[in-house]
Amino acid sequence: MEKAELISEIERLKKEKNAVIMAHYYTNGEIQDIADCVGDSLALAQWAAKTDADIIVLCGVHFMGETAKILSPNKKVLVPDMEAGCSLADSCPADEFAKFVAQHPDHTVISYVNTTAAVKAHTDVVVTSTNAKQIVESFPKDQKIIFGPDKNLGSYINSITGRNMLLWNGACHVHEKFSVNKILDLKKQYPDAQVLVHPECKDVVVRLADKVGSTAGLLKYAISSECNTFLVATESGILHEMQKAAPSKNFIAIPPVDSTCGCNDCAYMKLNTLEKLYNVLKNEGPEVIVDDAVREKAVKPIHKMLEISAKLGL
Ligand code: 13P
Ligand code: SF4
């Protein structure tokens, strides 16, 4: 099918089936353009919790589909490609995490949303990069905390809150690849540019940032900043929305350590295509399924995150 036909078929099926298409900022531009809502991990969870659609098509990665299913268990949740995983979620196997948690019974467990449902089931409160700082700060200063699985986000939150959370040793393969040297080279070329960094990057990269934030946070900053040029250290899909929202500004994707590998693209996010979106909607499958016993436990820390975020106006 030609692209135009695919788009009109997706629109037709969406109405016919009362489906909503949600997309993360890291997906391809054409997916973002056809989606009903495009956002960061927190926004996707918030929308999934309150939609009245019968079907949620989550264009992102598998844990985002799982989170949507946990929040809306009576809806059909579809992801265009079941192989769209996440290296960060993979760096935290649930059985090993459960052992780690059991070894520290006096610790509160805070998990990044980039985890499987099974890990969330061993968690007290889930966070995203939009609300991690505030949620950590909602606990008393002397509260012992385990933070998993992203050691980079965890150490960034430790540094800005003065906490000493015990960190799981996980990381995202995309964000770990940004190089200090490439940023310094680009700064020479664009001396007035501001550097935007996602907190999943290593601390040496975070230290070069003018703004550290979630995808939504970086986007908001870029729109309101007086600056015209930005060097962006996160997955390159976000540039689509940045350029759309601020067409007169210049956004430059910082290349990874090895610029020939294109690894500032998340291969998992890029598995979402219009064709797969069309097929999953047409076939109403494959569906994201979460085991009931796991869901019962995993829903609590996600609800806790949504409640705290709502109180904070996030
Ligand atoms: P946010 O969009 O919440 O900043 O998350 C980034 C990410 O890596 C999603 O997988
Ligand atoms: Fe996971 Fe990294 Fe891809 Fe985000 S960019 S989905 S953390 S692998």
Side-chain angles (χ1 to χ4, degrees):
M1 236 186 272
E2 292 294 318
K3 185 175 166 186
E5 197 184 343
L6 266 178
I7 291 173
S8 81
E9 277 300 289
I10 292 169
E11 296 288 3
R12 182 184 66 75
L13 287 168
K14 198 178 75 179
K15 282 196 196 93
E16 189 183 295
K17 293 171 185 266
N18 187 28
V20 64
I21 300 174
M22 301 181 185
H24 188 266
Y25 288 127
Y26 292 164
T27 54
N28 291 312
E30 57 191 19
I31 298 281
Q32 296 187 42
D33 289 343
I34 203 172
D36 299 294
C37 11
V38 187
D40 68 350
S41 313
L42 176 62
L44 292 172
Q46 288 167 329
W47 290 323
K50 63 175 191 232
T51 181
D52 51 17
D54 296 316
I55 297 178
I56 299 171
V57 188
L58 205 312
C59 300
V61 292
H62 191 264
F63 77 78
M64 294 176 174
E66 267 190 346
T67 304
K69 183 69 184 175
I70 290 167
L71 288 166
S72 279
N74 299 323
K75 298 188 191 300
K76 213 171 244 188
V77 177
L78 310 171
V79 292
D81 192 322
M82 282 290 192
E83 298 300 311
C86 168
S87 59
L88 185 47
D90 288 348
S91 68
C92 189
D95 52 346
E96 288 175 33
F97 191 68
K99 273 187 215 149
F100 183 62
V101 168
Q103 282 159 7
H104 302 91
D106 53 346
H107 284 57
T108 290
V109 183
I110 301 187
S111 292
Y112 195 30
V113 72
N114 296 39
T115 43
T116 59
V119 167
K120 291 184 177 84
H122 295 287
T123 294
D124 295 306
V125 58
V126 168
V127 298
T128 74
S129 29
T130 286
N131 56 25
K133 175 178 182 282
Q134 291 93 328
I135 290 183
V136 167
E137 283 178 335
S138 72
F139 289 92
K141 254 212 138 133
D142 57 355
Q143 175 67 52
K144 291 179 181 167
I145 295 175
I146 285 175
F147 186 94
D150 190 355
K151 62 179 178 196
N152 294 320
L153 175 63
S155 91
Y156 171 66
I157 300 295
N158 272 343
S159 75
I160 58 173
T161 60
R163 306 281 168 134
N164 187 22
M165 299 185 295
L166 195 51
L167 308 181
W168 182 262
N169 187 20
C172 157
H173 74 300
V174 178
H175 287 88
E176 284 237 301
K177 293 258 162 62
F178 289 102
S179 113
V180 168
N181 288 342
K182 299 261 166 156
I183 298 175
L184 295 177
D185 286 350
L186 280 165
K187 280 290 277 181
K188 277 188 206 142
Q189 232 177 304
Y190 303 96
D192 297 330
Q194 288 193 324
V195 181
L196 309 180
V197 176
H198 196 282
E200 286 175 23
C201 294
K202 288 181 179 168
D203 61 351
V204 284
V205 171
V206 167
R207 270 185 240 130
L208 298 175
D210 292 289
K211 170 72 185 171
V212 182
S214 64
T215 51
L218 297 180
L219 175 64
K220 198 167 153 204
Y221 180 85
I223 295 168
S224 62
S225 163
E226 308 234 306
C227 183
N228 273 315
T229 304
F230 300 91
L231 308 176
V232 185
T234 189
E235 211 273 357
S236 59
I238 186 69
L239 270 75
H240 180 73
E241 191 58 32
M242 286 177 168
Q243 206 64 77
K244 244 168 107 173
S248 63
K249 296 189 178 184
N250 188 17
F251 296 99
I252 298 155
I254 296 171
V257 186
D258 169 7
S259 351
T260 55
C261 72
C263 35
N264 57 353
D265 274 359
C266 173
Y268 301 116
M269 286 282 183
K270 279 5 188 201
L271 286 174
N272 290 278
T273 63
L274 283 179
E275 196 161 11
K276 289 179 195 168
L277 170 52
Y278 165 72
N279 283 328
V280 85
L281 199 46
K282 184 177 67 156
N283 302 326
E284 295 189 25
E287 243 188 277
V288 175
I289 304 292
V290 179
D291 175 83
D292 282 343
V294 172
R295 183 197 167 267
E296 221 169 277
K297 290 183 184 155
V299 75
K300 291 179 193 155
I302 306 177
H303 273 155
K304 192 154 187 195
M305 168 184 81
L306 294 179
E307 279 160 23
I308 300 175
S309 301
K311 273 192 208 141
L312 293 167
L314 296 170

